[in-house]
Amino acid sequence: HMTETALDDVQLGPIDYLVIEYANGQPTGEALPHLLDLVESGTIRLLDAAIVAKSADGEVSAVDMAQLAELGGGELGLLEGAATGMLDEEDIAQTGDILSAGAVGAILVYENTWAAPFATAVRKAGGQLIANGRIPINAIIAALEAQEEN
């Protein structure tokens, strides 16, 4: 019974990942301060990060974070500390499959720490998450624009 109680005390929010593509292959790093704000405020906890490059002829490779910082990715070097190795070669390959040729992609794996107390309370009450999903932001923007036209 002890393990069950110990598990109940672990506050863990839902874990998400996202992949951001820079089609021109040049992330500027200007979105990074916003990401760091989310981490510092305790909204999310970054569990892993990786940068993937796809050459014009379709070759996929993981980009060394330290190397990226030297290349003038500047603030992208801050992601170096977030790289934990949780993302494996298969994750890199799958990301490569969805990237456009010549693009650079950033993969972020993060815990929604803001939801942890809620998720823990749900578990303690005998509830469990049976479905979740994400609505693509472009679909929402299109729906909102359509609504405004009416």
Side-chain angles (χ1 to χ4, degrees):
H1 249 311
M2 268 183 61
T3 50
E4 204 176 295
T5 314
L7 194 64
D8 277 346
D9 294 336
V10 174
Q11 291 208 343
L12 197 65
I15 311 257
D16 282 339
Y17 76 91
L18 52 85
V19 178
I20 301 157
E21 178 182 77
Y22 294 92
N24 63 359
Q26 284 301 317
T28 61
E30 63 189 78
L32 216 56
H34 299 284
L35 180 67
L36 293 174
D37 284 349
L38 290 170
V39 172
E40 283 167 14
S41 67
T43 304
I44 65 168
R45 179 165 60 118
L46 212 47
L47 300 175
D48 203 358
I51 305 288
V52 182
K54 188 171 188 174
S55 68
D57 59 13
E59 189 113 355
V60 175
S61 59
V63 177
D64 182 349
M65 296 278 194
Q67 213 178 356
L68 192 69
E70 285 167 28
L71 291 174
E75 292 175 313
L76 286 170
L78 295 169
L79 284 180
E80 198 184 340
T84 59
M86 185 186 289
L87 290 161
D88 60 18
E89 285 177 25
E90 193 181 331
D91 298 315
I92 303 297
Q94 286 177 343
T95 300
D97 288 345
I98 62 171
L99 285 179
S100 310
V104 169
I107 316 170
L108 301 174
V109 180
Y110 58 95
E111 175 198 352
N112 291 285
T113 36
W114 60 268
F118 169 70
T120 302
V122 165
R123 278 196 299 273
K124 282 184 175 171
Q128 62 178 343
L129 179 68
I130 58 166
N132 74 340
R134 181 138 295 153
I135 298 168
I137 190 73
N138 295 347
I140 294 173
I141 292 170
L144 290 173
E145 284 172 353
Q147 225 173 14
E148 282 172 15
E149 287 168 16
N150 293 340

